[in-house]
Amino acid sequence: MAGLTLGALGVVYGDIGTSPLYALKEVFHGGHVATTPDNILGVLSLLFWTLTVVVSIKYVLLILRADNNGEGGLIAMLALATNAVNDKPQLRRGLLLVGLFGTAIFFGDAVITPAMTVLGAVEGIDVYEPQYHDAILPLTLVVMVGLFSVQRFGTGGIGKAFGPVMLVWFVTLALLGLPHVIDNPHVLAAVNPVYAIHFCLEYRWVAFVALGAVVLVVTGGEALYADLGHFGKQPIRIAWYGVVMPALVINYFGQGAMLLDDPSGVQNPFFLLAPSWAEIPLFLLATLAAIVASQALITAAFSVTKQAIQLGILPRLRILHTSVRDIGQIYVPFINWALFALVVVAVVFFGSSTKLAGAYGVAVTIDMTITTVMTFFVIRFGWRYPLALCVAATGVFFLIDVTFLASNLLKIAAGGWFPLLIGIGMFTLMLTWKQGRRLLSDKLRQDAIELTTFLEAVFINPPTRVPGTAVFLSAEKGSTPNALLHNLKHNKVLHEQNIFVTVKHHEVPWIGFEKRCEVEALGHSCWQVALHFGFKNEPDVPEALELLKKHGVQLDDMETSYFLSRDIVIPTIGSGMALWREKLFAGMHRNAAAAADFLHLPTNRIVELGSKVEI
């Protein structure tokens, strides 16, 4: 438990743990909120109760209960919600679209978070050595180059250091804030929610605008749920209540106490907390903590990409495994360098954490709102709780999420458009891929020949049988693979053993080996096989086919060939999808990584036979 709790500190709380670098500063930035004693206490009260209600109650107590066979995250929640309303197709489709958009907008967050956290840490130079201000951007870009370059080596070694580094970081947060709280204990009055209410009633519009910065204190809340499968509920809860929340509250109150004594420190209250002798160590530690927070989002982006591919909402991409023991340690080159390019654009274009704060928060609040909506359908239709209880349990959180979202939408012109643009782009790709796959599947199904009927006809006058085993992969169980038709037409031979494999991905995280393989004998040494994988399983076809031995099917790796149908998609008008989207799907289909990479097929034993398919 201690080890899991330490690991949760490093992976789960990297993002929310670095929020003190910029959150309080951004609330007062620009002079919208004057640094008067009442305002400081009001803002601190808002920060405290936002952490309490949104993270401590909503995520830690409620959302963590909605696990999909032990797994969390928006894709797991999407699977739970859509399965709960299976008997309501229109509602299921609506939830699917909302969930897809939430998954897409996550990639916008995965770009903004590394840019914001690293830039916010490096800006400590401005506090200690203002003459080196011009070095902030180059140094940030150097850190980014190093961070994204080491991804290909895997996060195993780095990950072991995550927990201890963040433990030191949270202890440091508390030690920085505590002396200032002791010197000015009046700041503790901010625990009283009356100060937050008074601030909102007194300033109304200004307070509403300030909520767009207040939400920065909970930007890592989604990670609590996303990393549920890695650590479990109890370690995440122990880490939050025992270490993270106390450290964050003490640090925020310490910053507030310092501002009560010296309002001019609002330019960067976090770094001004430190005594002069600790300036350089704090700068280095903050930069290291920012890298850890960024690493967590990058790793999550790889994981979400893999899950999305297996659920059929993204095209296959090359996925490399960086550990022989940990199946979760993966590296997706395309996603890594796409994120790097977009992070560099964000850093150079916005230029400071203050300007990036305008872009930060929009993606997070959209995902927070979607998670709350999905939770309602899970507890109402999945868990069968009474309607009144479901509305009460999620209604308050929904109002809070929508309020934060509305405040952040005011920042669209100031930079909020950036993650939205990324999210809309990803949503378009996901929707196009999913709809294109359906059109392609419908077309292939229309033209398909029933497998058992075809084999009966073939064996009336059988072709020459050659030694070895042929594995034909087919999208539809029971239909004759195009690769088999092409093989008979051009080579005029049939292998001694023929296995027709359909790979099925399901909306559950894990499917065990006992349910992995479904076999049907077709006669003449031919078998129809369905392989079942969850969206967290590794779709290793050769490994799964080893299970056929107990069904009397013996496979020799050196004598087994894998036949794939490499279809070329030809867009046509009138398919029900805009022509530009058909062309986009055709391009995505053409450039998708080979199934050999995704399904772990031995590349030296693959035969690709293609055809043209109009959609």
Side-chain angles (χ1 to χ4, degrees):
M1 186 60 63
L4 287 171
T5 303
L6 184 64
L9 281 178
V11 177
V12 177
Y13 295 110
D15 188 7
I16 200 170
T18 52
S19 296
L21 287 168
Y22 44 75
L24 192 61
K25 176 183 72 172
E26 295 307 326
V27 175
F28 290 101
H29 175 72
H32 297 298
V33 180
T35 50
T36 64
D38 284 345
N39 287 354
I40 292 169
L41 292 177
V43 168
L44 281 178
S45 187
L46 269 178
L47 296 183
F48 174 78
W49 285 104
T50 299
L51 278 172
T52 300
V53 175
V54 174
V55 182
S56 294
I57 299 176
K58 174 187 168 182
Y59 278 100
V60 178
L61 290 184
L62 176 62
I63 302 296
L64 283 185
R65 295 186 61 210
D67 66 291
N68 189 350
N69 293 323
E71 291 294 329
L74 195 52
I75 287 184
M77 179 69 84
L78 173 62
L80 283 175
T82 52
N83 285 335
V85 294
N86 257 334
D87 57 338
K88 300 175 176 62
Q90 291 289 66
L91 179 58
R92 190 180 192 278
R93 176 174 171 77
L95 287 177
L96 185 62
L97 289 175
V98 171
L100 284 181
F101 185 71
T103 304
I105 207 73
F106 164 81
F107 288 94
D109 188 28
V111 170
I112 295 296
T113 294
M116 181 76 175
T117 53
V118 175
L119 197 51
V122 176
E123 282 176 346
I125 292 174
D126 239 359
V127 177
Y128 304 140
E129 302 291 343
Q131 66 271 26
Y132 294 122
H133 173 81
D134 292 340
I136 291 176
L137 277 185
L139 183 56
T140 300
L141 293 177
V142 168
V143 172
M144 292 300 180
V145 170
L147 177 62
F148 283 93
S149 295
V150 300
Q151 296 303 314
R152 61 194 178 94
F153 299 112
T155 58
I158 305 172
K160 292 176 183 177
F162 279 7
V165 167
M166 293 310 293
L167 179 59
V168 172
W169 172 252
F170 286 117
V171 170
T172 302
L173 289 182
L175 292 177
L176 287 174
L178 192 58
H180 295 275
V181 174
I182 293 173
D183 289 343
N184 195 344
H186 176 60
V187 75
L188 296 175
V191 172
N192 189 340
V194 170
Y195 283 94
I197 295 170
H198 180 267
F199 175 76
C200 293
L201 293 177
E202 179 75 17
Y203 290 97
R204 296 189 181 181
W205 177 252
V206 172
F208 178 69
V209 173
L211 289 178
V214 171
V215 77
L216 296 176
V217 304
V218 295
T219 50
E222 282 290 320
L224 284 168
Y225 185 42
D227 289 307
L228 174 60
H230 293 165
F231 302 100
K233 300 171 189 177
Q234 192 171 353
I236 291 175
R237 287 170 173 161
I238 291 172
W240 174 254
Y241 292 120
V243 179
V244 181
M245 186 172 181
L248 291 175
V249 170
I250 291 171
N251 191 268
Y252 284 126
F253 275 54
Q255 293 183 43
M258 185 190 68
L259 293 180
L260 286 174
D261 291 333
D262 181 14
S264 65
V266 75
Q267 59 175 320
N268 204 323
F270 174 79
F271 283 104
L272 290 173
L273 285 176
S276 57
W277 60 265
E279 291 175 352
I280 299 303
L282 179 60
F283 169 73
L284 296 175
L285 179 61
T287 303
L288 192 57
I291 291 172
V292 171
S294 303
Q295 178 64 58
L297 264 291
I298 296 168
T299 303
F302 294 159
S303 179
V304 168
T305 299
K306 180 185 173 186
Q307 293 177 32
I309 290 171
Q310 293 187 207
L311 285 177
I313 57 179
L314 276 180
R316 286 191 298 265
L317 297 172
R318 190 170 178 231
I319 297 176
L320 303 178
H321 289 262
T322 58
S323 171
V324 295
R325 292 179 298 175
D326 187 354
I327 197 171
Q329 289 189 27
I330 59 174
Y331 169 61
V332 188
F334 178 81
I335 295 296
N336 184 68
W337 294 112
L339 286 178
F340 171 73
L342 290 170
V343 167
V344 169
V345 168
V347 169
V348 173
F349 181 79
F350 291 98
S352 71
S353 63
T354 295
K355 292 180 179 178
L356 266 170
Y360 208 24
V362 175
V364 175
T365 50
I366 289 175
D367 273 350
M368 286 168 56
T369 306
I370 290 174
T371 297
T372 301
V373 172
M374 295 286 184
T375 303
F376 170 80
F377 288 100
V378 171
I379 64 177
R380 174 69 182 116
F381 297 103
W383 299 352
R384 306 290 182 182
Y385 283 3
L387 178 61
L389 179 61
C390 296
V391 171
T394 59
V396 174
F397 300 128
F398 180 75
L399 289 175
I400 293 171
D401 292 338
V402 168
T403 303
F404 277 123
L405 175 58
S407 177
N408 276 274
L409 290 179
L410 297 175
K411 303 192 295 185
I412 287 180
W417 56 268
F418 187 72
L420 276 180
L421 186 65
I422 296 172
I424 291 170
M426 287 298 299
F427 182 66
T428 303
L429 290 178
M430 288 177 172
L431 213 55
T432 299
W433 182 254
K434 188 169 182 63
Q435 192 172 354
R437 274 171 51 93
R438 181 180 59 78
L439 292 172
L440 181 60
S441 179
D442 290 346
K443 178 64 176 176
L444 292 174
R445 195 181 296 112
Q446 289 173 12
D447 300 337
I449 303 171
E450 207 270 326
L451 180 60
T452 54
T453 303
F454 179 78
L455 290 178
E456 288 173 4
V458 166
F459 287 111
I460 291 174
N461 186 19
T464 303
R465 305 291 290 266
V466 295
T469 301
V471 177
F472 294 95
L473 280 93
S474 173
E476 293 293 331
K477 182 180 178 181
S479 63
T480 305
N482 284 341
L484 173 62
L485 299 175
H486 288 294
N487 188 45
L488 289 172
K489 178 180 178 182
H490 298 292
N491 299 324
K492 298 179 175 56
V493 297
L494 195 64
H495 282 70
E496 188 177 17
Q497 291 189 129
N498 295 276
I499 303 173
F500 303 96
V501 176
T502 300
V503 177
K504 299 284 187 181
H505 295 287
H506 299 271
E507 294 179 351
V508 294
W510 305 100
I511 291 178
F513 281 109
E514 69 280 0
K515 298 180 180 178
R516 178 63 44 82
C517 193
E518 187 181 328
V519 183
E520 178 187 353
L522 303 176
H524 303 283
S525 297
C526 297
W527 293 269
Q528 173 79 66
V529 176
L531 301 178
H532 301 279
F533 298 96
F535 60 77
K536 293 282 283 184
N537 282 127
E538 195 64 26
D540 191 328
V541 168
E543 179 188 55
L545 290 180
E546 290 293 319
L547 299 173
L548 293 179
K549 289 180 180 178
K550 65 182 181 181
H551 296 278
V553 184
Q554 299 298 322
L555 297 179
D556 185 335
D557 290 341
M558 297 307 296
E559 293 187 358
T560 301
S561 299
Y562 295 85
F563 288 80
L564 305 179
S565 178
R566 188 69 166 172
D567 300 312
I568 300 173
V569 176
I570 303 174
T572 58
I573 298 174
S575 69
M577 192 163 64
L579 185 59
W580 68 269
R581 289 183 63 207
E582 290 183 31
K583 290 182 177 179
L584 175 61
F585 172 73
M588 294 165 69
H589 190 273
R590 183 172 59 252
N591 294 309
D597 287 336
F598 185 64
L599 301 176
H600 297 265
L601 304 181
T603 53
N604 62 327
R605 307 296 300 170
I606 290 175
V607 180
E608 286 193 304
L609 299 169
S611 60
K612 294 182 179 180
V613 182
E614 291 186 356
I615 61 169

